[in-house]
Amino acid sequence: MTKILVVEDMDSLREEIIETLTYEGFEVIGAENGAVGVELALKHLPNLIICDVMMPELNGYETLTTLRRDPSTSTIPFIFLTAKADKMDMRQGMQLGADDYLTKPFTIEDLLGAIAARLEKQAILQEHFDRETEQTASRMEYFARHDELTNLPNRVLFHDSLQQAVSHASQQRQTLALIFLDIDQFHIINNSLGHDIGDMVLKAVAERLKVMIPNHDMVARLRGDVFAVILVDVAETELKDTAQNIIHKMSQPYKIYGHEIFTTCSLGITIYPNDQLEVDGLIKNADTAMYHAKETGRNDYKFYKSELNDRSAEFMALENSLRRGLDRAEFRLFYQPQICLSTGKIVGAEALVRWQHPELGIISPDKFMHLAESTGLILRLSEWVIHTACAQYAAWEANGVNLSRLAINLSGQHLRQANLTELFKTMLRDHNLQHQNLELEITESIISKDTDAILALFSELRHMGIRIAIDDFGTGFSSLSYLKTFPVDTIKIDQCFVRDVTSDRHDAAIAIAIIDLAHSLSLNVVAEGVETQAQLDFLTQNHCDQMQGYIFSPAIPAEQFERMLAEGKYFVGIGK
Ligand code: C2E
Ligand code: CA
Ligand code: CA
């Protein structure tokens, strides 16, 4: 039944209204003043409130204001009753959110008319609200299982569908193939052309896949640039053709906003029931096979093989030996010279860690860094690196070797250590080092996480006189705009841009843009991985400040580096 609250201090009028409305079939509650009115409104949540303006305790305006503030009563239709027909009063009431105004004396028809109009409007609003809520709920339900960008099923729906497909295949004694697809070096598209274009490429990839895959099979987007395809009851030759076909179709150029974008993809394939019976196992297999395709040169497909898993056994053995290696001090720091491009002289060095394994010989950090990160051993290793680099620098100073900068790589985990600045204070004090000679290299991808905390940390480190370099610039998720806000000193152009700088005009454009931007912000630019004279010439002509690379020297042991410095070795090929 529709419930109406009548707030009116004049007893005779209140009783009369209550009687009339009750007769009309409403459930009516009476309140003799505003304070009681608010209390009863909160308790009964009526469908409509009729309220006098001039009342003791809480007047009509105050009553309305109080009710509008409470979410449970804020939208109840509210009609003022008053003897005053003053326009100002009316306006004040409306501004506070009243829905209508009846001036005394009023007829029963006036009253019922106003009530009917308000209730009808409220019903329409409610209906609209219900419809919206329902639509939102179904949209939310849809996007809980679909990817918003491509409209493809997402990982949740994919997982359920794979489960169903596996059960079905098992009943029908059929095979089933699961293919994972990853776009090769997608981050380069994102970084060089922007995320909008990256998104368009993802959409285009989704469209191409949808067209190629028959309706009873499934295409899903699992994450970032990784897609999955489920193919039921497919023979191996047919599967190879499909894989080859996908690779071919994906490598056709994408025309987006006037850009012609070339990209390739890598596929990993696993087959039910031959490789695995369980859904999670199949997913793991497809992932493993896909990474194998990437490792072996990309733009290709690989079938899952059980040998690929043996690598994880190898991985565990490596973890144990990494731990032992730390205990037995098997690590070494090598130093790679940094050359000034205008003088050809060595101006600094980057310390790079090596593992001197008793049986396997020298192992490069690419082979064990991710393991050190995932096991947390990186913290011990990093502390050792910082300590060793500082001690080495102090020793060189004591020997009269002149080196204006020593760069140390820091891992993301180390940055999140609460005592990092303390650690540096202690190290610098213990070794009596000049702060401004120390540069910490931090990869760009780390900055885009925990931005505020890292901003504060950088400021603190720089305040101590330590320099900050952004490593592998251009490959992370951050954008050039970060540089304006981050307190940094140096940018290191990643090797992947330097490699083809003389043959790929996109890479050349990126390298030039990074150099120009850095200079406009008064930052120092170091190019990494310089191997050829042509690369060196390009960088010199475009005013890059320094470089590191095999063209001059790889990272070498400390004694060898010291000899190089003492001999005053410099780069003779500059400016040729
Ligand atoms: P990075 O910081 O980008 O280091 C540059 C890498 O490029 C080094 O590989 C270096 O030896 C190599 N390189 C130098 N010149 C050339 C060249 O002309 N051509 C080519 N192709 N490569 C060149 P490395 O020493 O294997 O280090 C790999 C990565 O491991 C480093 O990349 C860095 O991210 C990490 N790393 C190395 N030492 C440490 C360390 O002490 N602490 C931390 N946290 N990470 C480290
Ligand atoms: Ca580095
Ligand atoms: Ca680097």
Side-chain angles (χ1 to χ4, degrees):
M1 206 195 280
T2 308
K3 225 186 274 178
I4 297 183
L5 170 66
V6 180
V7 191
E8 166 63 67
D9 60 326
M10 201 198 291
D11 294 341
S12 57
L13 181 58
R14 187 175 66 248
E15 290 308 324
E16 193 187 331
I17 298 175
I18 291 178
E19 198 176 313
T20 311
L21 295 182
T22 309
Y23 180 77
E24 290 295 327
F26 294 108
E27 180 186 342
V28 193
I29 312 156
E32 62 276 23
N33 61 44
V36 177
V38 169
E39 200 186 309
L40 292 179
L42 289 169
K43 185 170 166 205
H44 295 282
L45 301 178
N47 301 91
L48 185 138
I49 298 170
I50 299 172
C51 182
D52 188 19
V53 174
M54 306 284 279
M55 289 182 299
E57 299 238 6
L58 211 56
N59 70 27
Y61 300 137
E62 290 160 344
T63 304
L64 176 59
T65 310
T66 313
L67 292 176
R68 285 292 184 252
R69 240 185 261 135
D70 192 301
S72 64
T73 52
S74 65
T75 57
I76 300 178
F78 196 99
I79 302 176
F80 269 130
L81 287 183
T82 178
K84 291 177 118 192
D86 189 314
K87 279 219 172 72
M88 286 298 286
D89 282 353
M90 278 197 189
R91 189 169 306 142
Q92 189 184 352
M94 291 307 192
Q95 275 168 356
L96 289 174
D99 296 283
D100 207 348
Y101 224 98
L102 279 180
T103 328
K104 299 174 196 171
F106 48 83
T107 64
I108 289 176
E109 285 73 32
D110 287 341
L111 177 66
L112 293 177
I115 291 174
R118 286 305 120 204
L119 289 176
E120 192 181 331
K121 180 145 183 230
Q122 189 71 2
I124 292 170
L125 284 176
Q126 187 64 42
E127 199 181 305
H128 182 71
F129 178 76
D130 290 347
R131 206 169 33 227
E132 287 271 290
T133 320
E134 201 179 305
Q135 277 171 3
T136 312
S138 66
R139 253 182 86 79
M140 279 169 67
E141 203 177 302
Y142 180 81
F143 284 116
R145 297 168 71 77
H146 290 84
D147 163 45
E148 220 157 329
L149 181 71
T150 61
N151 261 321
L152 287 178
N154 66 10
R155 61 185 314 136
V156 179
L157 183 51
F158 159 75
H159 203 275
D160 288 356
S161 307
L162 183 60
Q163 185 76 61
Q164 277 174 19
V166 164
S167 314
H168 188 259
S170 141
Q171 282 159 12
Q172 306 293 317
R173 301 187 174 279
Q174 287 175 341
T175 57
L176 176 157
L178 174 62
I179 308 181
F180 272 18
L181 177 156
D182 182 292
I183 304 173
D184 295 329
Q185 298 192 295
F186 180 67
H187 63 276
I188 297 184
I189 298 177
N190 258 344
N191 287 322
S192 54
L193 301 172
H195 287 258
D196 286 350
I197 292 195
D199 282 354
M200 301 292 279
V201 171
L202 291 172
K203 276 183 163 174
V205 165
E207 286 309 317
R208 285 184 190 182
L209 280 173
K210 266 191 250 177
V211 172
M212 295 175 65
I213 306 302
N215 274 342
H216 53 271
D217 292 322
M218 178 188 229
V219 185
R221 180 176 173 218
L222 302 188
R223 57 177 185 265
D225 59 340
V226 181
F227 295 82
V229 177
I230 305 172
L231 296 174
V232 291
D233 199 19
V234 54
E236 188 160 334
T237 43
E238 203 186 323
L239 187 56
K240 283 183 178 164
D241 288 346
T242 308
Q244 198 54 57
N245 202 8
I246 293 179
I247 288 178
H248 173 72
K249 286 270 164 44
M250 293 302 145
S251 67
Q252 302 304 303
Y254 296 81
K255 291 209 179 64
I256 291 169
Y257 295 143
H259 294 272
E260 193 162 57
I261 298 169
F262 290 87
T263 182
T264 55
C265 67
S266 301
L267 308 185
I269 308 174
T270 187
I271 296 171
Y272 169 93
N274 311 20
D275 298 335
Q276 248 295 337
L277 298 176
E278 304 295 328
V279 165
D280 290 337
L282 286 166
I283 292 176
K284 220 168 126 222
N285 285 357
D287 220 26
T288 308
M290 184 178 80
Y291 278 105
H292 184 52
K294 286 205 165 290
E295 274 173 10
T296 49
R298 309 190 180 105
N299 193 22
D300 196 5
Y301 65 86
K302 290 283 175 214
F303 278 90
Y304 171 78
K305 288 195 293 277
S306 58
E307 297 90 272
L308 294 177
N309 267 348
D310 294 345
R311 289 157 23 123
S312 50
E314 199 181 294
F315 216 67
M316 271 163 65
L318 204 61
E319 177 185 345
N320 281 334
S321 74
L322 184 67
R323 215 177 281 278
R324 259 200 322 269
L326 274 165
D327 294 339
R328 296 181 189 167
E330 292 171 358
F331 290 86
R332 306 277 172 269
L333 264 194
F334 277 27
Y335 298 84
Q336 185 175 37
Q338 298 180 319
I339 315 300
C340 169
L341 281 179
S342 55
T343 63
K345 288 195 177 144
I346 301 173
V347 285
E350 176 179 1
L352 291 157
V353 71
R354 301 283 178 265
W355 182 5
Q356 178 90 53
H357 195 280
E359 286 123 43
L360 304 172
I362 288 195
I363 305 180
S364 83
D366 282 341
K367 296 264 179 337
F368 61 82
M369 260 312 162
H370 57 296
L371 188 68
E373 297 255 1
S374 62
T375 50
L377 289 170
I378 186 72
L379 295 179
R380 267 181 74 192
L381 181 62
S382 271
E383 278 192 25
W384 176 84
V385 167
I386 297 166
H387 165 77
T388 309
C390 290
Q392 182 62 64
Y393 197 86
W396 281 332
E397 277 201 326
N399 287 354
V401 174
N402 191 13
L403 182 71
S404 52
R405 188 172 70 219
L406 181 63
I408 300 177
N409 292 281
L410 264 200
S411 84
Q413 279 188 50
H414 220 134
L415 278 190
R416 285 184 280 275
Q417 285 282 295
N419 61 352
L420 189 70
T421 43
E422 280 310 309
L423 176 75
F424 276 104
K425 273 187 196 145
T426 318
M427 294 273 180
L428 293 167
R429 198 182 46 230
D430 288 356
H431 298 290
N432 198 17
L433 285 187
Q434 294 290 321
H435 300 183
Q436 67 270 25
N437 295 340
L438 204 60
E439 186 161 85
L440 301 182
E441 296 195 0
I442 289 140
T443 58
E444 194 193 12
S445 50
I446 293 167
I447 300 182
S448 42
K449 299 170 206 146
D450 298 338
T451 312
D452 290 343
I454 288 184
L455 196 79
L457 178 68
F458 280 12
S459 304
E460 204 176 335
L461 287 168
R462 282 185 91 223
H463 195 67
M464 288 164 57
I466 294 177
R467 297 163 54 93
I468 308 274
I470 304 296
D471 206 351
D472 302 347
F473 191 82
T475 63
F477 284 101
S478 75
S479 62
L480 298 175
S481 59
Y482 264 84
L483 289 179
K484 297 200 184 95
T485 43
F486 268 83
V488 301
D489 302 273
T490 298
I491 291 177
K492 301 193 75 178
I493 307 178
D494 191 66
Q495 298 187 8
C496 71
F497 300 117
V498 174
R499 193 174 306 126
D500 296 325
V501 85
T502 53
S503 57
D504 181 324
R505 57 192 175 80
H506 285 301
D507 286 354
I510 292 169
I512 293 174
I514 296 175
I515 296 170
D516 287 350
L517 178 90
H519 286 164
S520 72
L521 297 167
S522 308
L523 303 178
N524 184 40
V525 192
V526 182
E528 295 186 301
V530 181
E531 295 179 354
T532 67
Q533 184 66 41
Q535 293 165 344
L536 184 82
D537 291 343
F538 176 92
L539 293 162
T540 314
Q541 275 152 22
N542 287 291
H543 313 292
C544 182
D545 302 303
Q546 288 123 32
M547 68 99 184
Q548 282 172 247
Y550 295 166
I551 189 170
F552 186 77
S553 168
I556 48 180
E559 317 76 61
Q560 206 177 326
F561 182 68
E562 187 175 334
R563 241 177 288 134
M564 197 183 254
L565 278 174
E567 286 164 7
K569 179 174 174 184
Y570 68 99
F571 202 95
V572 285
I574 282 175
K576 265 205 300 199

